[in-house]
């Protein structure tokens, strides 16, 4: 069976022969950067020269020809010289190209396959530089048939489940806090527990939730205006950016007998859009200034239509409630972080760090109750946006440009904007995913980056903890709609010639800790059967254990622990200078559609450390490496007692050693982080995995033996 590289080469050359030049580029570019397979690399570069020449990227073709001339093969040298002569003649005959529309990634819709400026690259010093991105500007449907109506019952059940999950989580957190207060009062002298705190808080929380759902539009208006500078968006201003948008809003709302949602705007440069409310007549749609400036007319209309697709669903009010419940905790985390960074005294810094960490943890916990609902509702919104506008290709471009704009904003500000994270649950694209996808644009074709999300057989399982579906999956569904309406597609994703096969054993090793839980339940059932039989036959009296049934929980903890131990060596293999991959392999590692997170790519990258400074990064939640080819999320485990932490190195050049993993969002698990002056920080991932395994093992054994 041919290797992955051979399959890509075959697909790229076949696309070149058929005239699908952009598909050829998408397949050949990663191979041309892979120095490990010289023959495949050489063939890919020759194919790229021809593809670049056909698509008008003559400068790229010339640069590649100069590289090929240095090859030791005489035939390659002769071919390159001849190609170079023709390319120079063609370049001299070309007319001076029209200057693209200004802006970050301004829309060009007058003709197809035009370049646009996107400030997502980097020079040798990791300063942001403009790179060209070519958009096909595939056309829209002039007349189209409505799509088949989806079944709305599962979405309504999911909205109900989300409400119940949020209710239960809030009740348990409140119960834990109140019980802790009473426990402290009980331990203190001269004080007694407050009896009212022992009362069931279910009715109180349910009543509060009903009040919040009814008043959510106005409360969110106040919060976004007070803390994020939200303002009303005049229709005249929206019309100056996109005339189509107002027509789309009026037509779609008239068909549904809705009033047009109130329009709002946030004065931030990062492109984003959210919708909130409880009913269609109280709906609000809020966009950022950056979105209006970075998207073209039809793309803005498509993204507004996506927001319309979220209004009128049952989960519209539920998601607004989730946002309303989580925002106060994130706001406290944000304000405490800003305040704590202004006070360098340890007397204030430690309480501020603890308070910020607790509120951020609670925010993550409450946000997690809506992950599944947030992920699945976007498929419906994409579908409805395409049906309203007849422009699935416009929505594809809009989503990709939002990703590019978010990555640019993070690189420019050198940290993640507060609004990007706090409103992430309601945004159309996750900022974590945009960080990598958007920053590699111009260095790696979209199709190459999205191969993992389109073809990996276990991609749905590996995105289960994400608040957004894989964007590659969403874009492929939009391409299916375009093909259904007999349109060319904005992206040309080619199916691998050979199916991507991953051994089930490897996937089982990836999920070993979680697989250990159901297996341990089966094991607990066998133990119960043996104990019951022994007790009945008067051979062994262990009824005092299995009557409690807590031994099942003990077995689950032990199974989880064994799973961690089994996979720990595969997850964290040894890194040496000889086997660590360098920065130049960054994009080729992301283009492989067959890897699992456990297939650790051992790396040693150099770049600039970005993220929030000080207390705002006390849990290392916003550490980003900016390399010359893009941004990458860093995972670090904080360690108490250190003289300095990664957030103290924000803005400095660093070298990171660790394990690059490909999942819903690519990331690097840090092993070490080293500055140019020799300062080094170790991230004890294997140690903490071992600690968790030991604690789970001991706790599980204790529960099994004591029945408590």
């Amino acid at each position: 069976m041919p290797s992955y590289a051979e399959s890509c080469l075959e697909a790229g050359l076949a696309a070149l022969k058929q005239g699908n030049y952009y598909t050829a580029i998408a397949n050949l570019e990663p191979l041309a950067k892979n120095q490990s397979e010289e023959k495949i690399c050489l063939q890919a570069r020759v194919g790229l020269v021809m593809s670049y020449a056909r698509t008008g990227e003559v400068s790229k073709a010339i640069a590649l020809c100069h590289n090929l001339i240095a090859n030791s093969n005489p035939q390659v040298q002769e071919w390159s010289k001849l190609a170079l002569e023709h390319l120079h003649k063609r370049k001299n005959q070309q007319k001076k190209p029209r200057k693209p529309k200004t802006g970050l990634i301004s829309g060009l819709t007058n003709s197809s396959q035009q370049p646009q400026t996107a400030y997502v690259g980097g020079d040798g010093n990791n300063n942001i530089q403009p790179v060209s991105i070519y958009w096909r500007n595939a056309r829209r449907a002039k007349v189209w048939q409505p799509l088949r109506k989806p079944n709305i019952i599962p979405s309504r059940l999911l909205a109900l489940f989300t409400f119940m999950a949020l209710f239960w989580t809030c009740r348990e957190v409140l119960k834990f806090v109140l019980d802790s207060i009473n426990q402290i009062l009980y331990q203190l002298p001269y004080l007694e527990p407050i009896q009212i705190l022992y009362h069931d808080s279910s009715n109180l929380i349910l009543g509060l939730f009903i009040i919040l759902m009814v008043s959510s539009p106005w409360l969110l208006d106040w919060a976004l205006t007070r803390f994020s500078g939200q303002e009303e968006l005049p229709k005249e201003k929206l019309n100056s950016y996109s005339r189509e948008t107002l027509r789309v809003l009026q037509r779609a709302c008239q068909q549904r007998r809705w009033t047009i949602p109130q329009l709002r705007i946030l004065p931030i440069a990062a492109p984003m859009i959210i919708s909130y409310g409880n009913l269609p007549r109280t709906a609000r749609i809020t966009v950022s200034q950056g979105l209006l400036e970075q998207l073209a007319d039809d793309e803005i209309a498509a993204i507004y239509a996506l927001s319309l697709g979220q209004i009128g669903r049952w989960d519209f009010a539920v998601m607004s409630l989730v946002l309303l419940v989580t925002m106060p905790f994130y706001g406290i985390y944000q304000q405490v972080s800003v305040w704590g960074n202004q006070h360098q005294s340890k007397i204030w810094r430690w309480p501020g760090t603890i308070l910020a960490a607790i509120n951020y943890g609670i925010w993550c916990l409450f946000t997690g109750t809506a992950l599944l609902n947030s992920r699945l509702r976007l498929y419906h919104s994409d579908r409805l946006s395409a049906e309203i506008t007849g422009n699935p290709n416009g929505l594809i471009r809009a989503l990709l440009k939002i990703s590019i704009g978010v990555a640019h904003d993070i690189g420019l500000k050198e940290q993640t904007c507060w609004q990007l994270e706090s409103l992430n649950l309601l945004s159309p694209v996750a900022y974590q995913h945009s960080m990598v996808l958007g920053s590699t644009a111009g260095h790696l074709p979209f199709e190459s980056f999205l191969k993992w999300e389109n073809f990996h057989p276990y991609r749905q399982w590996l995105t289960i903890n994400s608040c957004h579906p894989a964007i590659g999956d969403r874009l492929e569904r939009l391409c299916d709609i375009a093909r259904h309406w007999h349109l060319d597609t904005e992206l040309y994703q080619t199916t691998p010639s050979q199916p991507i096969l991953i051994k089930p054993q490897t996937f089982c090793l990836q999920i070993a800790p979680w697989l250990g839980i159901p297996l341990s339940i089966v094991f607990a059932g066998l133990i119960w059967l043996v104990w019951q039989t022994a007790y009945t036959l008067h051979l062994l009296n262990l009824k005092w254990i299995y009557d409690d049934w807590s031994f099942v929980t003990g077995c689950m903890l032990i199974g989880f622990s064994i799973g961690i131990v089994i996979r720990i060596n595969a997850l964290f293999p040894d890194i040496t200078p000889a086997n660590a991959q360098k920065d130049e392999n960054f994009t080729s590692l992301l283009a492989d559609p067959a890897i699992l997170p456990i297939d650790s790519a051992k790396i040693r990258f150099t770049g600039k450390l970005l993220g929030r400074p000080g207390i705002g990064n006390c849990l290392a939640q916003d550490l980003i490496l900016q390399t010359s080819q893009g941004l990458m999320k860093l995972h670090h485990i904080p360690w108490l007692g250190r003289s300095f932490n990664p957030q103290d190195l924000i803005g400095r050049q660093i070298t990171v050693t660790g394990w690059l993993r490909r999942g819903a969002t690519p990331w690097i698990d840090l092993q070490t982080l080293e500055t140019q002056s020799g300062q080094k920080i170790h991230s004890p991932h294997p140690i903490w995995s071992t600690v968790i395994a030991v604690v789970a093992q001991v706790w599980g054994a204790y529960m099994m033996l004591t029945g408590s």
Side-chain angles (χ1 to χ4, degrees):
M1 184 175 63
S3 66
Y4 164 69
E6 291 171 341
S7 300
C8 281
L9 178 65
E10 182 182 341
L13 296 179
L16 174 62
K17 187 176 180 180
Q18 296 168 4
N20 298 329
Y21 303 119
Y22 286 96
T23 303
I25 291 172
N27 282 278
L28 297 176
E29 275 191 340
L31 302 178
K33 299 175 182 178
N34 186 2
Q35 304 288 343
S36 59
E37 301 186 60
E38 185 177 353
K39 184 177 179 181
I40 292 178
C41 176
L42 183 61
Q43 290 178 289
R45 289 181 176 181
V46 171
L48 275 177
V49 170
M50 293 187 283
S51 300
Y52 285 148
R54 298 294 193 280
T55 57
E57 299 182 76
V58 180
S59 298
K60 282 189 176 182
I62 291 174
L64 205 51
C65 271
H66 282 297
N67 186 287
L68 289 171
I69 287 176
N71 192 277
S72 57
N73 190 317
Q75 292 180 330
V76 174
Q77 290 179 358
E78 184 178 352
W79 182 89
S80 302
K81 291 177 182 177
L82 185 62
L84 204 56
E85 291 181 15
H86 288 288
L87 288 170
H88 279 301
K89 289 180 181 178
R90 182 173 176 178
K91 187 175 182 180
N92 293 333
Q93 292 171 357
Q94 281 182 338
K95 296 180 180 179
K96 185 178 180 181
R98 185 177 62 177
K99 184 178 180 181
K101 185 178 175 181
T102 58
L104 172 62
I105 41 174
S106 307
L108 296 175
T109 56
N110 294 330
S111 62
S112 63
Q113 299 178 350
Q114 293 190 13
Q116 294 180 294
T117 303
Y119 299 91
V120 296
D123 60 13
N125 296 319
N126 298 303
N127 296 316
I128 294 176
Q129 297 291 322
V131 295
S132 285
I133 298 175
Y134 282 78
W135 301 98
R136 296 187 179 92
N137 286 308
R139 64 187 180 89
R140 63 195 301 167
K142 295 183 179 178
V143 178
W144 64 94
Q145 294 295 323
L147 301 172
R148 188 176 63 180
K149 299 296 182 183
N151 185 2
I152 62 173
I153 294 178
S155 67
R156 292 184 173 181
L157 292 176
L158 184 56
L160 182 61
F161 170 79
T162 302
F163 180 87
M164 293 171 61
L166 180 64
F167 170 79
W168 182 85
T169 305
C170 288
R171 188 189 66 181
E172 293 303 309
V173 169
L174 182 60
K175 181 181 177 182
F176 173 78
V177 172
L178 297 181
D179 287 348
S180 299
I181 293 173
N182 269 349
Q183 188 65 27
I184 293 172
L185 293 175
Y186 179 77
Q187 298 295 333
L188 293 175
Y190 309 114
L191 295 175
E192 294 292 335
I194 303 173
Q195 295 303 314
I196 195 174
L197 298 185
Y198 287 123
H199 291 179
D200 187 4
S201 58
S202 299
N203 291 335
L204 174 64
I205 295 175
L206 183 61
L208 181 61
F209 274 16
I210 293 174
I211 294 173
L212 290 178
M213 288 185 71
V214 171
S215 57
S216 62
W218 300 277
L219 290 176
L220 287 171
D221 281 345
W222 175 83
L224 290 171
T225 302
R226 175 68 176 81
F227 299 106
S228 297
Q230 177 177 265
E231 300 174 349
E232 288 191 13
L233 175 61
K235 292 183 179 179
E236 296 77 15
K237 182 176 181 178
L238 177 59
N239 193 57
S240 67
Y241 286 101
S242 173
R243 294 185 177 182
E244 182 184 347
T245 298
L246 287 177
R247 296 197 300 269
V248 166
L249 290 174
Q250 291 170 351
R251 184 179 69 250
C253 292
Q254 186 176 15
Q255 291 173 350
R256 292 161 177 78
R257 298 179 180 178
W258 295 350
T259 57
I260 295 179
Q262 296 184 30
L263 306 179
R264 303 280 193 268
I265 186 169
L266 291 173
I268 59 176
M272 65 182 305
I273 183 169
I274 63 170
S275 57
Y276 60 90
N278 47 30
L279 295 170
R281 64 173 176 268
T282 63
R284 280 88 159 121
I285 299 179
T286 297
V287 299
S288 67
Q289 182 66 35
L291 184 136
L292 297 179
E293 293 177 352
Q294 296 168 30
L295 269 60
D297 184 337
D298 65 320
E299 296 157 4
I300 296 174
I303 212 71
Y304 264 91
L306 183 144
S307 290
L308 285 177
Q310 298 171 355
I311 298 172
R313 291 166 53 91
W314 280 21
D315 58 22
F316 180 58
V318 174
M319 295 300 289
S320 299
L321 173 65
V322 173
L323 180 63
L324 192 56
V325 170
T326 57
M327 279 188 72
F329 296 100
Y330 193 90
I332 294 173
Y333 153 70
Q334 177 185 349
Q335 295 301 319
V336 169
S337 299
V338 173
W339 173 83
N341 290 337
Q342 296 172 351
H343 296 78
Q344 299 300 322
S345 173
K346 290 185 179 180
I347 298 176
W348 299 107
R349 194 171 183 83
W350 275 107
T353 301
I354 294 172
L355 184 59
I358 290 174
N359 278 277
Y360 188 81
I362 295 174
W363 175 79
C364 291
L365 180 64
F366 288 166
T367 299
T369 61
L371 292 186
L372 184 60
N373 195 103
S374 174
R375 187 162 64 248
L376 296 182
R377 75 179 189 140
L378 285 171
Y379 290 122
H380 171 84
S381 302
D382 292 343
R383 180 188 182 93
L384 195 57
S385 172
E387 191 170 27
I388 290 174
T389 62
N391 192 11
N393 288 315
L395 182 57
I396 291 173
R397 289 192 297 273
L399 295 175
L400 291 173
K401 289 182 181 181
I402 288 174
S403 294
I404 294 171
V406 167
H408 168 69
D409 185 75
I410 292 173
L412 191 65
K413 294 177 179 175
E414 299 190 353
Q415 62 178 313
T416 304
C417 172
W418 298 107
Q419 289 87 350
L420 280 177
E421 186 171 46
S422 62
L423 303 176
N424 186 50
L425 194 66
L426 269 62
S427 63
V429 182
Y431 77 91
Q432 303 98 324
H433 197 282
S434 300
M435 188 187 303
V436 186
L437 171 62
S439 63
T440 55
H443 302 287
L444 182 69
F446 293 122
E447 291 88 344
S448 295
F449 181 91
L450 298 174
K451 277 184 181 294
W452 189 95
E453 301 176 17
N454 290 136
F455 303 117
H456 197 287
Y458 298 112
R459 61 188 182 276
Q460 298 299 340
W461 288 101
L462 297 172
T463 58
I464 200 167
N465 63 339
S466 174
C467 61
H468 289 69
I471 194 170
D473 191 20
R474 294 173 65 190
L475 299 186
E476 183 58 30
R477 294 185 184 214
L478 289 169
C479 287
D480 287 340
I481 293 175
R483 286 188 284 266
H484 177 70
W485 290 336
H486 306 291
L487 300 172
D488 290 334
T489 57
E490 184 67 28
L491 297 178
Y492 293 151
Q493 188 64 275
T494 56
T495 304
S497 56
Q498 297 289 336
I500 297 174
L501 299 177
I502 297 175
K503 294 180 180 179
Q505 305 93 298
T506 307
F507 179 67
C508 288
L509 186 61
Q510 170 70 48
I511 63 171
W514 314 109
L515 191 61
I517 294 176
L519 292 178
S520 64
I521 294 175
V522 175
F523 179 69
L526 294 176
I527 292 178
W528 179 87
L529 183 62
V530 171
W531 287 352
Q532 180 69 34
T533 303
Y535 177 75
T536 304
L537 298 177
H538 304 288
L539 298 176
L540 191 65
N541 185 2
L542 290 175
K543 190 174 178 64
W544 60 275
I545 292 181
Y546 66 74
D547 270 353
D548 194 322
W549 283 94
S550 59
F551 77 93
V552 177
T553 306
C555 286
M556 292 170 62
L557 287 168
I558 292 174
F560 179 75
S561 170
I562 293 173
I564 293 177
V565 173
I566 288 174
R567 78 168 186 178
I568 192 169
N569 287 332
L571 200 62
F572 303 106
D574 292 335
I575 301 176
T576 64
N579 65 19
Q581 304 199 47
K582 308 299 181 183
D583 302 52
E584 58 268 17
N585 297 323
F586 180 80
T587 53
S588 62
L589 293 172
L590 298 178
D592 186 353
I595 59 175
L596 288 162
I598 201 170
D599 299 324
S600 308
K602 299 172 282 291
I603 58 93
R604 183 175 174 82
F605 288 173
T606 300
K608 187 177 183 180
L609 184 63
L610 311 182
R612 297 190 190 114
I615 292 177
N617 221 343
C618 57
L619 299 177
Q621 63 266 46
D622 189 39
L623 292 180
I624 305 162
L625 180 68
Q626 182 186 52
T627 72
S628 59
Q629 297 186 30
L631 304 176
M632 182 61 68
K633 178 74 174 175
L634 301 179
H635 281 190
H636 167 69
I637 296 180
W639 192 264
L640 298 177
R642 286 181 173 149
S643 58
F644 69 102
N645 296 292
Q647 57 266 38
D648 300 327
L649 306 177
I650 298 295
R652 294 173 61 178
Q653 291 292 115
I654 59 168
T655 299
V656 302
T657 303
W659 302 272
L660 175 64
R661 310 200 190 279
R662 186 64 163 95
T665 301
W667 79 93
I668 295 174
D669 279 337
L670 286 179
Q671 184 187 57
T672 62
L673 184 153
E674 188 174 359
T675 66
Q676 292 177 321
S677 61
Q679 290 178 302
K680 184 178 288 188
I681 296 176
H682 293 270
S683 188
H685 284 280
I687 296 175
W688 269 105
S689 293
T690 305
V691 169
I692 292 173
V694 170
V695 170
Q697 188 90 350
V698 172
W699 190 8
Y702 174 79
M703 294 185 70
M704 287 188 65
L705 295 175
T706 63
S708 61

